[in-house]
mmCIF file of all heavy atoms in Angstrom:
data_model
loop_
_atom_site.group_PDB
_atom_site.id
_atom_site.type_symbol
_atom_site.label_atom_id
_atom_site.label_comp_id
_atom_site.label_asym_id
_atom_site.label_seq_id
_atom_site.Cartn_x
_atom_site.Cartn_y
_atom_site.Cartn_z
ATOM 1 N N ILE C 913 -7.141 88.243 142.564
ATOM 2 C CA ILE C 913 -7.119 87.004 143.327
ATOM 3 C C ILE C 913 -5.734 86.846 143.958
ATOM 4 O O ILE C 913 -4.715 86.930 143.278
ATOM 5 C CB ILE C 913 -7.443 85.779 142.446
ATOM 6 C CG1 ILE C 913 -8.872 85.885 141.890
ATOM 7 C CG2 ILE C 913 -7.283 84.488 143.241
ATOM 8 C CD1 ILE C 913 -9.271 84.741 140.986
ATOM 9 N N PHE C 914 -5.734 86.656 145.274
ATOM 10 C CA PHE C 914 -4.498 86.423 146.019
ATOM 11 C C PHE C 914 -4.525 84.991 146.550
ATOM 12 O O PHE C 914 -5.565 84.507 146.999
ATOM 13 C CB PHE C 914 -4.386 87.375 147.203
ATOM 14 C CG PHE C 914 -4.273 88.829 146.826
ATOM 15 C CD1 PHE C 914 -5.414 89.577 146.547
ATOM 16 C CD2 PHE C 914 -3.042 89.457 146.760
ATOM 17 C CE1 PHE C 914 -5.326 90.919 146.212
ATOM 18 C CE2 PHE C 914 -2.942 90.796 146.420
ATOM 19 C CZ PHE C 914 -4.087 91.529 146.140
ATOM 20 N N ILE C 915 -3.387 84.326 146.515
ATOM 21 C CA ILE C 915 -3.255 82.998 147.106
ATOM 22 C C ILE C 915 -2.226 83.072 148.220
ATOM 23 O O ILE C 915 -1.101 83.511 148.007
ATOM 24 C CB ILE C 915 -2.847 81.947 146.057
ATOM 25 C CG1 ILE C 915 -3.933 81.837 144.967
ATOM 26 C CG2 ILE C 915 -2.633 80.584 146.715
ATOM 27 C CD1 ILE C 915 -3.605 80.853 143.860
ATOM 28 N N VAL C 916 -2.644 82.658 149.421
ATOM 29 C CA VAL C 916 -1.766 82.681 150.588
ATOM 30 C C VAL C 916 -1.067 81.328 150.707
ATOM 31 O O VAL C 916 -1.724 80.294 150.867
ATOM 32 C CB VAL C 916 -2.561 82.972 151.870
ATOM 33 C CG1 VAL C 916 -1.637 82.987 153.091
ATOM 34 C CG2 VAL C 916 -3.302 84.311 151.755
ATOM 35 N N ILE C 917 0.258 81.325 150.600
ATOM 36 C CA ILE C 917 1.011 80.069 150.662
ATOM 37 C C ILE C 917 2.149 80.194 151.677
ATOM 38 O O ILE C 917 2.592 81.306 152.006
ATOM 39 C CB ILE C 917 1.596 79.666 149.286
ATOM 40 C CG1 ILE C 917 2.545 80.754 148.755
ATOM 41 C CG2 ILE C 917 0.500 79.392 148.280
ATOM 42 C CD1 ILE C 917 3.273 80.354 147.492
ATOM 43 N N LEU C 918 2.617 79.050 152.150
ATOM 44 C CA LEU C 918 3.762 79.030 153.046
ATOM 45 C C LEU C 918 5.041 79.290 152.247
ATOM 46 O O LEU C 918 5.172 78.857 151.101
ATOM 47 C CB LEU C 918 3.873 77.680 153.747
ATOM 48 C CG LEU C 918 2.729 77.282 154.675
ATOM 49 C CD1 LEU C 918 3.013 75.923 155.297
ATOM 50 C CD2 LEU C 918 2.504 78.321 155.767
ATOM 51 N N LYS C 919 5.974 79.983 152.848
ATOM 52 C CA LYS C 919 7.224 80.328 152.157
ATOM 53 C C LYS C 919 7.987 79.092 151.696
ATOM 54 O O LYS C 919 8.677 79.125 150.676
ATOM 55 C CB LYS C 919 8.098 81.190 153.069
ATOM 56 C CG LYS C 919 7.576 82.614 153.221
ATOM 57 C CD LYS C 919 8.543 83.486 153.982
ATOM 58 C CE LYS C 919 8.014 84.925 154.035
ATOM 59 N NZ LYS C 919 8.923 85.827 154.772
ATOM 60 N N LYS C 920 7.865 77.996 152.432
ATOM 61 C CA LYS C 920 8.595 76.783 152.039
ATOM 62 C C LYS C 920 8.041 76.162 150.756
ATOM 63 O O LYS C 920 8.704 75.344 150.126
ATOM 64 C CB LYS C 920 8.559 75.756 153.166
ATOM 65 C CG LYS C 920 7.187 75.187 153.478
ATOM 66 C CD LYS C 920 7.276 74.170 154.603
ATOM 67 C CE LYS C 920 5.918 73.540 154.907
ATOM 68 N NZ LYS C 920 6.013 72.538 155.992
ATOM 69 N N ASN C 921 6.827 76.575 150.358
ATOM 70 C CA ASN C 921 6.217 76.063 149.128
ATOM 71 C C ASN C 921 6.278 77.076 147.985
ATOM 72 O O ASN C 921 5.588 76.924 146.979
ATOM 73 C CB ASN C 921 4.757 75.682 149.381
ATOM 74 C CG ASN C 921 4.627 74.534 150.356
ATOM 75 O OD1 ASN C 921 5.377 73.566 150.262
ATOM 76 N ND2 ASN C 921 3.699 74.638 151.284
ATOM 77 N N ILE C 922 7.110 78.087 148.159
ATOM 78 C CA ILE C 922 7.130 79.199 147.205
ATOM 79 C C ILE C 922 7.490 78.767 145.794
ATOM 80 O O ILE C 922 7.020 79.348 144.804
ATOM 81 C CB ILE C 922 8.084 80.314 147.700
ATOM 82 C CG1 ILE C 922 7.819 81.613 146.949
ATOM 83 C CG2 ILE C 922 9.526 79.895 147.578
ATOM 84 C CD1 ILE C 922 6.474 82.193 147.224
ATOM 85 N N LYS C 923 8.303 77.723 145.641
ATOM 86 C CA LYS C 923 8.712 77.282 144.299
ATOM 87 C C LYS C 923 7.527 76.766 143.482
ATOM 88 O O LYS C 923 7.545 76.829 142.257
ATOM 89 C CB LYS C 923 9.785 76.204 144.411
ATOM 90 C CG LYS C 923 11.127 76.726 144.920
ATOM 91 C CD LYS C 923 12.162 75.614 144.973
ATOM 92 C CE LYS C 923 13.495 76.144 145.471
ATOM 93 N NZ LYS C 923 14.510 75.068 145.543
ATOM 94 N N LYS C 924 6.514 76.277 144.167
ATOM 95 C CA LYS C 924 5.354 75.719 143.470
ATOM 96 C C LYS C 924 4.592 76.773 142.669
ATOM 97 O O LYS C 924 3.923 76.450 141.690
ATOM 98 C CB LYS C 924 4.402 75.057 144.470
ATOM 99 C CG LYS C 924 4.958 73.810 145.124
ATOM 100 C CD LYS C 924 3.908 73.191 146.040
ATOM 101 C CE LYS C 924 4.431 71.938 146.717
ATOM 102 N NZ LYS C 924 3.410 71.329 147.597
ATOM 103 N N LYS C 925 4.687 78.026 143.082
ATOM 104 C CA LYS C 925 3.901 79.070 142.415
ATOM 105 C C LYS C 925 4.347 79.282 140.968
ATOM 106 O O LYS C 925 3.582 79.783 140.149
ATOM 107 C CB LYS C 925 3.976 80.382 143.189
ATOM 108 C CG LYS C 925 5.243 81.185 143.021
ATOM 109 C CD LYS C 925 5.127 82.511 143.755
ATOM 110 C CE LYS C 925 6.311 83.418 143.472
ATOM 111 N NZ LYS C 925 6.210 84.714 144.156
ATOM 112 N N PHE C 926 5.573 78.884 140.654
ATOM 113 C CA PHE C 926 6.072 79.088 139.292
ATOM 114 C C PHE C 926 5.424 78.123 138.297
ATOM 115 O O PHE C 926 5.565 78.278 137.090
ATOM 116 C CB PHE C 926 7.591 78.958 139.273
ATOM 117 C CG PHE C 926 8.289 79.999 140.086
ATOM 118 C CD1 PHE C 926 8.907 79.664 141.280
ATOM 119 C CD2 PHE C 926 8.294 81.323 139.681
ATOM 120 C CE1 PHE C 926 9.544 80.629 142.050
ATOM 121 C CE2 PHE C 926 8.919 82.300 140.439
ATOM 122 C CZ PHE C 926 9.543 81.951 141.634
ATOM 123 N N ASN C 927 4.717 77.129 138.821
ATOM 124 C CA ASN C 927 3.975 76.214 137.946
ATOM 125 C C ASN C 927 2.609 76.775 137.570
ATOM 126 O O ASN C 927 1.905 76.207 136.749
ATOM 127 C CB ASN C 927 3.777 74.858 138.642
ATOM 128 C CG ASN C 927 5.096 74.165 138.908
ATOM 129 O OD1 ASN C 927 6.020 74.270 138.109
ATOM 130 N ND2 ASN C 927 5.193 73.462 140.021
ATOM 131 N N PHE C 928 2.287 77.910 138.179
ATOM 132 C CA PHE C 928 0.975 78.511 137.936
ATOM 133 C C PHE C 928 1.118 79.566 136.847
ATOM 134 O O PHE C 928 1.830 80.551 137.012
ATOM 135 C CB PHE C 928 0.459 79.151 139.236
ATOM 136 C CG PHE C 928 -1.033 79.278 139.289
ATOM 137 C CD1 PHE C 928 -1.821 78.178 139.550
ATOM 138 C CD2 PHE C 928 -1.649 80.504 139.076
ATOM 139 C CE1 PHE C 928 -3.200 78.288 139.616
ATOM 140 C CE2 PHE C 928 -3.017 80.622 139.129
ATOM 141 C CZ PHE C 928 -3.794 79.511 139.399
ATOM 142 N N LYS C 929 0.437 79.387 135.745
ATOM 143 C CA LYS C 929 0.643 80.233 134.563
ATOM 144 C C LYS C 929 -0.249 81.473 134.522
ATOM 145 O O LYS C 929 -0.068 82.337 133.688
ATOM 146 C CB LYS C 929 0.402 79.406 133.290
ATOM 147 C CG LYS C 929 1.270 78.147 133.187
ATOM 148 C CD LYS C 929 2.750 78.482 133.188
ATOM 149 C CE LYS C 929 3.599 77.222 133.059
ATOM 150 N NZ LYS C 929 5.037 77.522 133.132
ATOM 151 N N ASN C 930 -1.259 81.559 135.404
ATOM 152 C CA ASN C 930 -2.195 82.681 135.382
ATOM 153 C C ASN C 930 -1.504 83.944 135.903
ATOM 154 O O ASN C 930 -1.171 84.047 137.080
ATOM 155 C CB ASN C 930 -3.427 82.346 136.239
ATOM 156 C CG ASN C 930 -4.586 83.303 135.965
ATOM 157 O OD1 ASN C 930 -4.375 84.503 135.791
ATOM 158 N ND2 ASN C 930 -5.786 82.772 135.940
ATOM 159 N N LYS C 931 -1.296 84.903 135.034
ATOM 160 C CA LYS C 931 -0.560 86.108 135.393
ATOM 161 C C LYS C 931 -1.361 87.065 136.280
ATOM 162 O O LYS C 931 -0.797 87.992 136.855
ATOM 163 C CB LYS C 931 -0.115 86.842 134.116
ATOM 164 C CG LYS C 931 0.887 86.065 133.283
ATOM 165 C CD LYS C 931 1.296 86.855 132.053
ATOM 166 C CE LYS C 931 2.304 86.065 131.212
ATOM 167 N NZ LYS C 931 2.687 86.801 129.988
ATOM 168 N N ASN C 932 -2.687 86.883 136.356
ATOM 169 C CA ASN C 932 -3.519 87.784 137.151
ATOM 170 C C ASN C 932 -3.523 87.416 138.637
ATOM 171 O O ASN C 932 -4.131 88.107 139.446
ATOM 172 C CB ASN C 932 -4.960 87.766 136.628
ATOM 173 C CG ASN C 932 -5.062 88.362 135.231
ATOM 174 O OD1 ASN C 932 -4.378 89.330 134.922
ATOM 175 N ND2 ASN C 932 -5.899 87.799 134.391
ATOM 176 N N ILE C 933 -2.859 86.330 138.992
ATOM 177 C CA ILE C 933 -2.839 85.871 140.369
ATOM 178 C C ILE C 933 -1.633 86.450 141.102
ATOM 179 O O ILE C 933 -0.519 86.456 140.589
ATOM 180 C CB ILE C 933 -2.787 84.328 140.435
ATOM 181 C CG1 ILE C 933 -3.912 83.714 139.595
ATOM 182 C CG2 ILE C 933 -2.870 83.853 141.881
ATOM 183 C CD1 ILE C 933 -5.288 84.150 139.988
ATOM 184 N N LYS C 934 -1.872 86.944 142.335
ATOM 185 C CA LYS C 934 -0.783 87.414 143.183
ATOM 186 C C LYS C 934 -0.661 86.487 144.390
ATOM 187 O O LYS C 934 -1.625 85.837 144.775
ATOM 188 C CB LYS C 934 -1.043 88.849 143.646
ATOM 189 C CG LYS C 934 -1.025 89.865 142.500
ATOM 190 C CD LYS C 934 -1.172 91.278 143.015
ATOM 191 C CE LYS C 934 -1.105 92.278 141.862
ATOM 192 N NZ LYS C 934 -1.229 93.684 142.349
ATOM 193 N N PHE C 935 0.529 86.448 144.970
ATOM 194 C CA PHE C 935 0.777 85.536 146.079
ATOM 195 C C PHE C 935 1.135 86.314 147.344
ATOM 196 O O PHE C 935 1.841 87.318 147.296
ATOM 197 C CB PHE C 935 1.903 84.559 145.727
ATOM 198 C CG PHE C 935 1.507 83.565 144.679
ATOM 199 C CD1 PHE C 935 1.651 83.863 143.323
ATOM 200 C CD2 PHE C 935 0.982 82.334 145.037
ATOM 201 C CE1 PHE C 935 1.275 82.953 142.349
ATOM 202 C CE2 PHE C 935 0.606 81.417 144.067
ATOM 203 C CZ PHE C 935 0.752 81.722 142.728
ATOM 204 N N ILE C 936 0.620 85.818 148.462
ATOM 205 C CA ILE C 936 0.983 86.335 149.785
ATOM 206 C C ILE C 936 1.720 85.218 150.511
ATOM 207 O O ILE C 936 1.191 84.118 150.680
ATOM 208 C CB ILE C 936 -0.268 86.766 150.585
ATOM 209 C CG1 ILE C 936 -0.997 87.916 149.870
ATOM 210 C CG2 ILE C 936 0.121 87.182 152.000
ATOM 211 C CD1 ILE C 936 -2.297 88.332 150.534
ATOM 212 N N GLU C 937 2.936 85.498 150.931
ATOM 213 C CA GLU C 937 3.771 84.463 151.558
ATOM 214 C C GLU C 937 3.793 84.628 153.077
ATOM 215 O O GLU C 937 3.998 85.736 153.585
ATOM 216 C CB GLU C 937 5.193 84.554 151.014
ATOM 217 C CG GLU C 937 5.276 84.413 149.509
ATOM 218 C CD GLU C 937 6.641 84.814 148.963
ATOM 219 O OE1 GLU C 937 7.617 84.755 149.740
ATOM 220 O OE2 GLU C 937 6.724 85.197 147.785
ATOM 221 N N VAL C 938 3.571 83.522 153.781
ATOM 222 C CA VAL C 938 3.652 83.522 155.243
ATOM 223 C C VAL C 938 4.527 82.350 155.696
ATOM 224 O O VAL C 938 4.594 81.319 155.033
ATOM 225 C CB VAL C 938 2.250 83.418 155.888
ATOM 226 C CG1 VAL C 938 1.415 84.654 155.605
ATOM 227 C CG2 VAL C 938 1.515 82.163 155.414
ATOM 228 N N LYS C 939 5.195 82.511 156.833
ATOM 229 C CA LYS C 939 6.050 81.434 157.356
ATOM 230 C C LYS C 939 5.217 80.301 157.938
ATOM 231 O O LYS C 939 5.553 79.130 157.819
ATOM 232 C CB LYS C 939 6.978 81.992 158.427
ATOM 233 C CG LYS C 939 8.083 82.884 157.892
ATOM 234 C CD LYS C 939 9.007 83.320 159.026
ATOM 235 C CE LYS C 939 10.128 84.203 158.496
ATOM 236 N NZ LYS C 939 11.022 84.652 159.595
ATOM 237 N N SER C 940 4.107 80.680 158.597
ATOM 238 C CA SER C 940 3.247 79.697 159.236
ATOM 239 C C SER C 940 1.839 80.281 159.337
ATOM 240 O O SER C 940 1.652 81.487 159.179
ATOM 241 C CB SER C 940 3.785 79.359 160.631
ATOM 242 O OG SER C 940 2.932 78.445 161.286
ATOM 243 N N LEU C 941 0.870 79.409 159.581
ATOM 244 C CA LEU C 941 -0.503 79.885 159.748
ATOM 245 C C LEU C 941 -1.230 78.952 160.724
ATOM 246 O O LEU C 941 -2.166 78.247 160.366
ATOM 247 C CB LEU C 941 -1.224 79.933 158.395
ATOM 248 C CG LEU C 941 -2.463 80.841 158.312
ATOM 249 C CD1 LEU C 941 -2.112 82.271 158.729
ATOM 250 C CD2 LEU C 941 -3.033 80.854 156.908
ATOM 251 N N THR C 942 -0.773 78.981 161.958
ATOM 252 C CA THR C 942 -1.371 78.132 162.985
ATOM 253 C C THR C 942 -1.768 78.922 164.232
ATOM 254 O O THR C 942 -2.824 78.684 164.799
ATOM 255 C CB THR C 942 -0.398 77.010 163.401
ATOM 256 O OG1 THR C 942 0.857 77.603 163.779
ATOM 257 C CG2 THR C 942 -0.171 76.035 162.255
ATOM 258 N N SER C 943 -0.938 79.868 164.639
ATOM 259 C CA SER C 943 -1.186 80.609 165.880
ATOM 260 C C SER C 943 -1.933 81.918 165.617
ATOM 261 O O SER C 943 -2.076 82.358 164.480
ATOM 262 C CB SER C 943 0.139 80.927 166.568
ATOM 263 O OG SER C 943 0.880 81.857 165.789
ATOM 264 N N LYS C 944 -2.372 82.526 166.709
ATOM 265 C CA LYS C 944 -3.065 83.809 166.609
ATOM 266 C C LYS C 944 -2.153 84.879 166.029
ATOM 267 O O LYS C 944 -2.591 85.711 165.223
ATOM 268 C CB LYS C 944 -3.578 84.241 167.984
ATOM 269 C CG LYS C 944 -4.414 85.514 167.950
ATOM 270 C CD LYS C 944 -5.045 85.819 169.293
ATOM 271 C CE LYS C 944 -5.921 87.067 169.189
ATOM 272 N NZ LYS C 944 -6.616 87.355 170.473
ATOM 273 N N SER C 945 -0.895 84.865 166.404
ATOM 274 C CA SER C 945 0.056 85.854 165.873
ATOM 275 C C SER C 945 0.258 85.673 164.370
ATOM 276 O O SER C 945 0.469 86.648 163.638
ATOM 277 C CB SER C 945 1.396 85.748 166.604
ATOM 278 O OG SER C 945 1.960 84.467 166.452
ATOM 279 N N ASP C 946 0.179 84.415 163.892
ATOM 280 C CA ASP C 946 0.284 84.156 162.449
ATOM 281 C C ASP C 946 -0.865 84.827 161.707
ATOM 282 O O ASP C 946 -0.666 85.447 160.654
ATOM 283 C CB ASP C 946 0.252 82.654 162.164
ATOM 284 C CG ASP C 946 1.494 81.928 162.656
ATOM 285 O OD1 ASP C 946 2.547 82.590 162.799
ATOM 286 O OD2 ASP C 946 1.410 80.715 162.890
ATOM 287 N N PHE C 947 -2.066 84.690 162.256
ATOM 288 C CA PHE C 947 -3.230 85.287 161.612
ATOM 289 C C PHE C 947 -3.192 86.809 161.708
ATOM 290 O O PHE C 947 -3.598 87.506 160.775
ATOM 291 C CB PHE C 947 -4.523 84.742 162.225
ATOM 292 C CG PHE C 947 -4.888 83.372 161.742
ATOM 293 C CD1 PHE C 947 -4.623 82.259 162.507
ATOM 294 C CD2 PHE C 947 -5.484 83.200 160.500
ATOM 295 C CE1 PHE C 947 -4.944 80.986 162.054
ATOM 296 C CE2 PHE C 947 -5.814 81.946 160.032
ATOM 297 C CZ PHE C 947 -5.547 80.826 160.819
ATOM 298 N N ASN C 948 -2.699 87.326 162.824
ATOM 299 C CA ASN C 948 -2.541 88.775 162.947
ATOM 300 C C ASN C 948 -1.625 89.303 161.846
ATOM 301 O O ASN C 948 -1.882 90.348 161.241
ATOM 302 C CB ASN C 948 -1.964 89.135 164.321
ATOM 303 C CG ASN C 948 -3.034 89.281 165.380
ATOM 304 O OD1 ASN C 948 -4.125 89.758 165.106
ATOM 305 N ND2 ASN C 948 -2.724 88.875 166.597
ATOM 306 N N TYR C 949 -0.547 88.573 161.608
ATOM 307 C CA TYR C 949 0.402 88.975 160.563
ATOM 308 C C TYR C 949 -0.258 88.914 159.184
ATOM 309 O O TYR C 949 -0.119 89.852 158.380
ATOM 310 C CB TYR C 949 1.626 88.067 160.601
ATOM 311 C CG TYR C 949 2.621 88.351 159.496
ATOM 312 C CD1 TYR C 949 3.374 89.516 159.491
ATOM 313 C CD2 TYR C 949 2.803 87.437 158.447
ATOM 314 C CE1 TYR C 949 4.287 89.785 158.469
ATOM 315 C CE2 TYR C 949 3.711 87.691 157.437
ATOM 316 C CZ TYR C 949 4.443 88.860 157.446
ATOM 317 O OH TYR C 949 5.341 89.127 156.439
ATOM 318 N N LEU C 950 -0.996 87.832 158.912
ATOM 319 C CA LEU C 950 -1.668 87.704 157.620
ATOM 320 C C LEU C 950 -2.663 88.830 157.409
ATOM 321 O O LEU C 950 -2.684 89.467 156.344
ATOM 322 C CB LEU C 950 -2.393 86.356 157.535
ATOM 323 C CG LEU C 950 -3.321 86.180 156.321
ATOM 324 C CD1 LEU C 950 -2.539 86.262 155.018
ATOM 325 C CD2 LEU C 950 -4.092 84.876 156.417
ATOM 326 N N PHE C 951 -3.484 89.111 158.423
ATOM 327 C CA PHE C 951 -4.494 90.158 158.282
ATOM 328 C C PHE C 951 -3.863 91.537 158.139
ATOM 329 O O PHE C 951 -4.416 92.416 157.467
ATOM 330 C CB PHE C 951 -5.459 90.122 159.461
ATOM 331 C CG PHE C 951 -6.371 88.910 159.457
ATOM 332 C CD1 PHE C 951 -6.887 88.402 160.638
ATOM 333 C CD2 PHE C 951 -6.710 88.284 158.275
ATOM 334 C CE1 PHE C 951 -7.726 87.294 160.632
ATOM 335 C CE2 PHE C 951 -7.542 87.174 158.249
ATOM 336 C CZ PHE C 951 -8.052 86.682 159.436
#
């Protein structure tokens, strides 16, 4: 399981105790180029 979060919210992930979860960090997710980067 991957969770896609904004880099500015990266500190919040440390409150998540499930070790099987991985995180994907993105700066933004609004434009087409943002989605291209995510994909």
Side-chain angles (χ1 to χ4, degrees):
I913 297 179
F914 296 83
I915 298 178
V916 180
I917 59 173
L918 297 181
K919 287 187 177 180
K920 66 179 182 179
N921 295 317
I922 196 66
K923 290 182 180 179
K924 292 183 180 181
K925 78 175 187 179
F926 297 109
N927 296 325
F928 204 77
K929 304 300 181 183
N930 195 320
K931 295 181 180 178
N932 293 322
I933 307 302
K934 294 185 178 181
F935 290 87
I936 297 176
E937 302 167 24
V938 294
K939 288 183 179 179
S940 178
L941 200 55
T942 54
S943 68
K944 185 173 183 177
S945 60
D946 291 336
F947 282 100
N948 274 324
Y949 176 70
L950 171 62
F951 290 153

